[in-house]
Amino acid sequence: MKWRPIKNTAIVTLILSTVLFSCASRKNKGATKELKSPAVEIVVAESDEAKSAKKEEAAAVLAEAKPVPAQKPVIEEKKPVVEVPLRVDLPNVDREFRGAWIATVANINWPTKGNYSTEAQKREAIQLLDLLKENNFNAVIFQVRPSADALYDSRHEPWSYFLTGEIGKRPNPYYDPLTFWVEEAHKRGLELHVWLNPYRAHHSTGGTVTGESMVRKASDIVVRLKNGMYWFDPANPKTQDHAANVVLDIVKRYDIDGVHFDDYFYPYASYNGGADFPDDTSWNTYRRSGGTLSRADWRRDNVNRFIERVYKEIKAEKNFVKFGLSPFGIWKPGYPAGVTGSSQYDELYADAKLWLNKGWIDYFAPQLYWPIDPPRQSFTALLRWWESENTHKRHLWPGLNTVAVRAPNRTQEIVKQIEETRKLIPNSVGAIHWSIAGLTNSPSMVQAVKSGPYNKQALIPRSPWLSANPLLTPSLLLTEEASSIFAKWLHKQPNEVFQWVVYAQYGDVWEYEILDGQQTEKSFPKTKNGKLLKTVAVKAIDRLSNESDYIAKNVI
């Protein structure tokens, strides 16, 4: 019996071999392996035409059975979740400079006369700063150099008689009053500006002149006046160098916000019994050197060059430290028309108009110590004139005589002057009160100011001519508590933050609070006046009162 050919057996064998090879290849990626087909003996007796037909049939089957290459599994990439900032319509924050002078000469404001106790001095300072904070002031002008002496640890001049009762005696127990004042002011969100008299060497109430006094240590550049005071000669280069070094030393070593000079340049004529200032030695030296200016112009030039120098040196050291001047309120009689009175230009040799015209200051506080109504020395008329001379658009914050303005109702007069200042200079509102005694000695003044123009907190106006790096946006975390929302905020540049503005929205009503830079948390009640807390927001404020962008988060 013969074996009969099995139809398509060769084809089946070929298919099986191919499939097995494919499977082995998938299991052994890249590995070479010998595959053996099943041992099947096939006897074929076919014609050439049949063989050809079978080959074509096998090819067709192979085409259908060709393995599909393995594909890599598709992995969906996860995109980072980006939190879209919440944008809201925050209310505008009031901006106004609200300062008060604190005089230490003759113990006018601090420390009280005969108070040489360290702890008592600190208590008095805190009481004054708290008074300003509670009544929505935002700056203090603190006198640290009454007369070539120091209410701080100076490298150039002796400790002040007004601090310890003896020239050159340091506090005991020791503390640095300026460091203390700066820290306590900043805790309350108050700027602190140091106030210096550039040329006064000794005040008549400053005790006996001793070997510790600059009167003795710098006798070659100091002259005595007939009223018992001593004065540096403004024309002497040693005077200018010494005074400039005193200023720069404070700027470098203390975290102050401003440097402030008042109206004392060359002294008032009455200080020397009406006689001319005794500067014959320096005047004759100038003439021998070929100087051609008149004596009056030469004196003014001495002061002009000093003012320009101090401004530039402050900016070179710390750009954010503002330089302010508080000259006598009248430049010359007749400016503006109808104004009468003393002339700082001719008597003090202070060309304050030039300093304002040149932009050698950051803020200008002319002492406008008269009421609004009298035309010969009208507060508003003089303020308008000074503003017309403000060619560089610096801050113009007038000095107000809160202590003793001659008006039928002093309290109403001061409130009205603040309101008039807002109308006349709306883009940079502000005023400085002479002095804090006008508040400490008059509860009615405090009440009128707090309930009237200062009824809300205010940021200090920006100084756009002073450059500053943009502040980053803070981060904000809200945590729900039983009856409140606890807010915590952080900033990547904490040393650049001077204040915060924190906002809360109850229903449709927004409220804000200005906090000092050290405070970074606050609890908000969930309801207020029957309205639910909806949103909390916060922004950072730098040393020049520039704002960061805000971050806001919904509560409900």
Side-chain angles (χ1 to χ4, degrees), residues 31 54 97 148 190 397 497:
K54 288 176 181 178
F97 190 86
L190 301 168
W397 301 325
V497 178

Side-chain angles (χ1 to χ4, degrees), residues 102-406:
I102 296 182
T104 57
V105 64
N107 301 105
I108 292 175
N109 298 136
W110 183 90
T112 53
K113 191 172 182 63
N115 175 18
Y116 307 134
S117 161
T118 293
E119 291 308 313
Q121 288 179 358
K122 288 181 177 181
R123 285 195 299 272
E124 286 185 354
I126 287 173
Q127 289 171 357
L128 296 175
L129 291 170
D130 283 345
L131 175 68
L132 296 176
K133 169 66 175 177
E134 291 164 3
N135 291 284
N136 292 334
F137 283 72
N138 52 27
V140 54
I141 316 296
F142 176 56
Q143 191 175 30
V144 299
R145 189 196 190 227
S147 49
D149 53 359
L151 282 92
Y152 64 98
D153 193 357
S154 174
R155 298 176 179 179
H156 301 284
E157 295 180 327
W159 286 98
S160 177
Y161 169 87
F162 304 115
L163 184 70
T164 62
E166 183 179 329
I167 299 173
K169 182 180 179 181
R170 57 188 263 152
N172 184 26
Y174 175 77
Y175 81 116
D176 187 324
L178 180 53
T179 297
F180 179 80
W181 274 85
V182 168
E183 291 175 351
E184 293 299 324
H186 287 176
K187 285 179 186 178
R188 292 159 177 77
L190 301 168
E191 285 194 353
L192 188 134
H193 297 221
V194 291
W195 162 20
L196 305 90
N197 293 104
Y199 299 129
R200 188 165 59 201
H202 182 79
H203 195 274
S204 55
T205 63
T208 302
V209 173
T210 68
E212 291 294 317
S213 172
M214 293 304 297
V215 171
R216 298 287 183 259
K217 291 183 176 182
S219 59
D220 58 327
I221 56 174
V222 173
V223 297
R224 189 180 189 280
L225 305 179
K226 291 182 179 180
N227 71 344
M229 292 193 186
Y230 291 82
W231 219 261
F232 285 102
D233 179 4
N236 196 304
K238 289 183 180 180
T239 294
Q240 297 178 22
D241 290 343
H242 176 73
N245 289 337
V246 166
V247 172
L248 200 57
D249 176 50
I250 296 174
V251 173
K252 285 180 177 179
R253 294 195 295 120
Y254 293 90
D255 190 26
I256 61 171
D257 303 288
V259 172
H260 184 93
F261 290 168
D262 58 14
D263 57 319
Y264 294 103
F265 296 99
Y266 280 82
Y268 289 90
S270 60
Y271 285 21
N272 202 34
D276 198 15
F277 183 74
D279 57 359
D280 288 343
T281 300
S282 54
W283 168 243
N284 292 331
T285 300
Y286 170 74
R287 294 285 289 175
R288 284 194 299 269
S289 68
T292 58
L293 293 175
S294 69
R295 195 161 187 169
D297 286 341
W298 166 73
R299 287 174 175 169
R300 279 186 286 269
D301 184 62
N302 295 326
V303 180
N304 293 341
R305 286 185 288 106
F306 176 70
I307 295 298
E308 182 182 17
R309 171 183 176 173
V310 168
Y311 182 70
K312 289 180 177 179
E313 288 183 353
I314 290 171
K315 295 307 164 192
E317 183 63 32
K318 289 181 182 176
N319 181 64
F320 68 85
V321 173
K322 293 185 280 287
F323 181 45
L325 282 162
S326 180
F328 182 69
I330 298 171
W331 179 59
K332 285 183 182 181
Y335 295 86
V339 166
T340 62
S342 298
S343 171
Q344 64 176 288
Y345 183 86
D346 297 302
E347 184 175 351
L348 306 181
Y349 304 99
D351 192 355
K353 183 177 85 70
L354 177 70
W355 312 335
L356 185 61
N357 294 158
K358 292 286 188 180
W360 292 339
I361 40 87
D362 297 305
Y363 67 94
F364 199 72
Q367 298 173 14
L368 305 185
Y369 290 169
W370 306 279
I372 293 171
D373 289 337
R376 294 186 302 169
Q377 295 171 337
S378 168
F379 173 88
T380 47
L382 285 163
L383 184 57
R384 286 192 193 97
W385 183 81
W386 282 114
E387 174 61 8
S388 72
E389 296 294 334
N390 190 10
T391 53
H392 286 265
K393 299 304 175 187
R394 299 301 195 238
H395 299 303
L396 181 55
W397 301 325
L400 314 182
N401 191 0
T402 307
V403 171
V405 64
R406 293 182 179 178

